[in-house]
């Protein structure tokens, strides 16, 4: 096994049916353990929260796969965007899906619809996995009855990634694009990058695009160009 391969697989892997592996690290292992506990949750709902790109949607896929395997559910659980929930959809959602994934919980939603969805799943024995950028208790919903209910949903944060997780993530992202990189390149990126999941994805994407456009192999000089391009990005969406 090469040195690069050894670096790539120093983390445990969580296989997912979408052909990706979830890299487990101290920053996310509590969330993984919580998913593994279903259907023996102490509460009917769970919220996993953290920054963009930290793996919330990937863990939601793992949850969906787990429900399907343990209940012989014939298809993947639906994932709905919280902002798209409408009051008229609530009863049909529960009728068709005793387990549900609600992504990107925020205050920019139909709060009455979310209130009724919460009550229906709680009272009728369903389960909901929420994902969010913030813990529900910090979101400050104007509908106080909804806020009081979401305050008691067990919420687990995916914390900032450590170097071990970022190393594994960077190599995995490059390998997803059929790019083999040296340990020196990974070390350079780690020493110069914004410490976030989102930036890891952006730098790999930008490097790949540069490599294809300039017809150059991935190298430290190319990484430097990619980082400069990201630094010049004025959209403010990287972090």
């Amino acid at each position: 096994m090469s040195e690069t391969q050894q670096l790539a697989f120093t983390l445990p892997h969580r296989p997912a049916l979408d052909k990706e592996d979830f890299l487990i690290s101290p920053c996310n292992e509590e969330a993984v353990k919580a998913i593994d506990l279903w259907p023996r949750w102490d509460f009917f709902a769970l919220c996993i929260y953290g920054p963009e790109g930290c793996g919330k949607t990937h863990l939601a896929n793992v949850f969906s796969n787990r429900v399907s395997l343990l209940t012989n559910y014939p298809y993947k659980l639906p994932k709905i965007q919280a902002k798209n929930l409408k009051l008229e959809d609530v009863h049909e959602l529960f009728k068709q899906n005793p387990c549900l994934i609600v992504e990107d919980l925020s205050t920019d939603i139909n709060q009455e619809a979310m209130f009724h969805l919460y009550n229906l799943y709680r009272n009728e024995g369903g389960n909901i996995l929420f994902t969010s950028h913030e813990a529900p208790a910090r979101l400050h919903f104007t509908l106080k009855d909804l806020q009081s209910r979401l305050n008691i949903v067990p919420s687990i944060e995916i914390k900032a990634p450590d170097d071990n997780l970022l190393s594994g993530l960077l190599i995995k992202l490059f390998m997803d694009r059929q790019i083999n990189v040296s340990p020196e390149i990974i070390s350079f990126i780690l020493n110069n990058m914004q410490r976030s999941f989102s930036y890891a994805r952006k730098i790999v994407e930008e490097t790949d695009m540069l490599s294809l456009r300039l017809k150059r192999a991935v190298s430290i000089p190319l990484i430097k160009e990619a980082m400069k391009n990201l630094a010049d990005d004025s959209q403010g969406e990287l972090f």
Side-chain angles (χ1 to χ4, degrees), residues 1-14 19-24 164-165 167-173 175-176 180:
M1 180 178 293
S2 71
E3 187 177 358
T4 301
Q5 288 174 320
Q6 289 174 350
L7 180 58
F9 296 106
T10 56
L11 295 167
H13 286 65
R14 169 55 50 89
K19 298 182 180 179
E20 293 183 346
D21 291 335
F22 190 85
L23 301 175
I24 303 172
N164 197 30
L165 179 57
S167 295
L169 177 60
L170 285 166
I171 294 174
K172 177 187 178 303
L173 292 172
M175 291 178 68
D176 286 346
N180 292 318

Side-chain angles (χ1 to χ4, degrees), residues 67-85:
V67 172
S68 296
L69 289 171
L70 294 183
T71 64
N72 295 316
Y73 202 67
Y75 53 90
K76 283 195 170 187
L77 300 184
K79 288 188 280 186
I80 66 168
Q81 290 290 313
K83 66 180 180 181
N84 294 334
L85 179 66

Side-chain angles (χ1 to χ4, degrees), residues 33-79:
K33 289 177 181 177
I35 295 295
D36 283 344
L37 280 175
W38 189 90
R40 304 185 310 279
W41 286 355
D42 293 331
F43 197 64
F44 85 97
L46 172 71
C47 180
I48 294 174
Y49 69 97
E52 178 186 354
C54 71
K56 299 185 298 291
T57 295
H58 198 149
L59 272 182
N61 286 335
V62 173
F63 174 67
S64 175
N65 295 337
R66 180 172 177 81
V67 172
S68 296
L69 289 171
L70 294 183
T71 64
N72 295 316
Y73 202 67
Y75 53 90
K76 283 195 170 187
L77 300 184
K79 288 188 280 186

Side-chain angles (χ1 to χ4, degrees), residues 43-47 105 111-112 114-120 122-123 130 136-137 141 143-155:
F43 197 64
F44 85 97
L46 172 71
C47 180
L105 183 66
Q111 296 188 25
E112 183 182 2
M114 189 63 68
F115 173 76
H116 286 288
L117 183 81
Y118 180 107
N119 285 341
L120 183 60
R122 181 194 63 185
N123 295 337
F130 294 101
F141 294 95
L143 182 60
K144 299 305 181 184
D145 285 340
L146 175 62
Q147 182 71 68
S148 65
R149 282 159 174 77
L150 289 173
N151 282 347
I152 62 175
V153 172
S155 300

